[in-house]
Amino acid sequence: MRLALHTLCLLFLFSSCKTPEARRPISIKSGSFISESINRNKELAAREEARIQKIINEDSTNNYITSETGFWYFYTKKDTISTTTPQFGDIVTFDYNVKDLGGTVIYSQQELNTITYRIDKEELFLGLREGLKLMKQGEMVTFLFPSYQAYGYYGDDNKIGTNIPLIAEVTLNTITKESTTEN
């Protein structure tokens, strides 16, 4: 009886000590979520750009320019003499207002006050950051930004919602070159 009990224990011990076996995944992810997200974003961008193109086509009084970074703009007041535009680190002051593509004011110039901004060293939405670099002191420019150049998916957590293309009317007041000698 004792021998049978030992044999049974040894048999149990050997059978319970086998090599670990890899577990199979419950579901296999194929990357389809990323592909679907890319397609949704492309469709959204195409719809927004079509709306902006419609505005441009219906506006025969202004000469629109397409930027290299994906927005459109026209000059209300252009300086043809100066060649000075803001560069990295320069301090600019500007006034602007923000509208939706229907022309409804979201933020007025009075609400926003005059903004002082250090080029590429402070937070500002992408389109406006790039647009300011195209301007000269005293110029007035109207920018049309698709949502990915404005506040994108998140909005501004206040008046601008998700994926809202914007019109910004900007006046660049001053450009102060970054000093080359810092103490």
Side-chain angles (χ1 to χ4, degrees), residues 51 55 97-107 143-145 159-160 164-168:
R51 286 180 63 201
I55 291 169
N97 65 39
V98 178
K99 301 177 181 179
D100 63 18
L101 290 185
T104 303
V105 175
I106 299 172
Y107 291 110
F143 296 99
L144 284 77
F145 299 116
K159 293 183 179 181
I160 300 172
I164 304 293
L166 299 175
I167 298 173

Side-chain angles (χ1 to χ4, degrees), residues 117-118 120-125 129:
Y117 169 69
R118 186 177 294 267
D120 289 338
K121 289 190 173 184
E122 296 175 0
E123 286 297 314
L124 196 61
F125 70 87
R129 201 168 57 224

Side-chain angles (χ1 to χ4, degrees), residues 86 90-94 115-119 132 172 174-176:
D90 292 347
I91 298 170
V92 297
T93 60
F94 65 96
I115 307 292
T116 300
Y117 169 69
R118 186 177 294 267
I119 299 291
L132 285 168
L172 183 58
T174 62
I175 301 172
T176 306

Side-chain angles (χ1 to χ4, degrees), residues 133-150:
K133 293 179 204 174
L134 301 172
M135 297 179 72
K136 299 171 194 157
Q137 187 168 306
E139 288 186 329
M140 297 170 68
V141 177
T142 299
F143 296 99
L144 284 77
F145 299 116
S147 65
Y148 63 85
Q149 287 282 324

Side-chain angles (χ1 to χ4, degrees), residues 4-182:
L5 189 58
H6 280 351
T7 306
L8 188 59
C9 285
L10 280 174
L11 200 63
F12 180 72
L13 183 66
F14 285 118
S15 66
S16 65
C17 294
K18 67 180 197 174
T19 59
E21 199 172 295
R23 293 182 288 168
R24 301 284 174 230
I26 295 172
S27 65
I28 299 172
K29 302 205 180 211
S30 65
S32 64
F33 173 77
I34 293 172
S35 298
E36 289 171 13
S37 179
I38 290 169
N39 290 336
R40 270 193 312 272
N41 288 334
K42 284 181 180 178
E43 289 170 12
L44 175 67
R47 281 194 311 268
E48 290 177 1
E49 289 177 15
R51 286 180 63 201
I52 290 171
Q53 282 301 318
K54 183 178 180 196
I55 291 169
I56 292 170
N57 293 339
E58 292 174 355
D59 183 1
S60 60
T61 59
N62 294 302
N63 182 25
Y64 287 84
I65 302 166
T66 304
S67 77
E68 292 179 7
T69 56
F71 58 85
W72 295 262
Y73 62 101
F74 66 88
Y75 289 89
T76 307
K77 182 180 173 189
K78 184 174 174 88
D79 181 347
T80 57
I81 298 169
S82 177
T83 58
T84 304
T85 57
Q87 303 299 313
F88 179 83
D90 292 347
I91 298 170
V92 297
T93 60
F94 65 96
D95 295 302
Y96 76 115
N97 65 39
V98 178
K99 301 177 181 179
D100 63 18
L101 290 185
T104 303
V105 175
I106 299 172
Y107 291 110
S108 70
Q109 203 168 325
Q110 292 75 26
E111 279 180 273
L112 297 171
N113 296 316
T114 299
I115 307 292
T116 300
Y117 169 69
R118 186 177 294 267
I119 299 291
D120 289 338
K121 289 190 173 184
E122 296 175 0
E123 286 297 314
L124 196 61
F125 70 87
L126 177 63
L128 188 53
R129 201 168 57 224
E130 294 302 315
L132 285 168
K133 293 179 204 174
L134 301 172
M135 297 179 72
K136 299 171 194 157
Q137 187 168 306
E139 288 186 329
M140 297 170 68
V141 177
T142 299
F143 296 99
L144 284 77
F145 299 116
S147 65
Y148 63 85
Q149 287 282 324
Y151 288 94
Y153 179 75
Y154 295 103
D156 75 342
D157 293 330
N158 194 7
K159 293 183 179 181
I160 300 172
T162 299
N163 297 324
I164 304 293
L166 299 175
I167 298 173
E169 297 168 329
V170 182
T171 302
L172 183 58
N173 301 321
T174 62
I175 301 172
T176 306
K177 290 296 182 186
E178 181 178 42
S179 63
T180 55
T181 58
E182 292 186 17

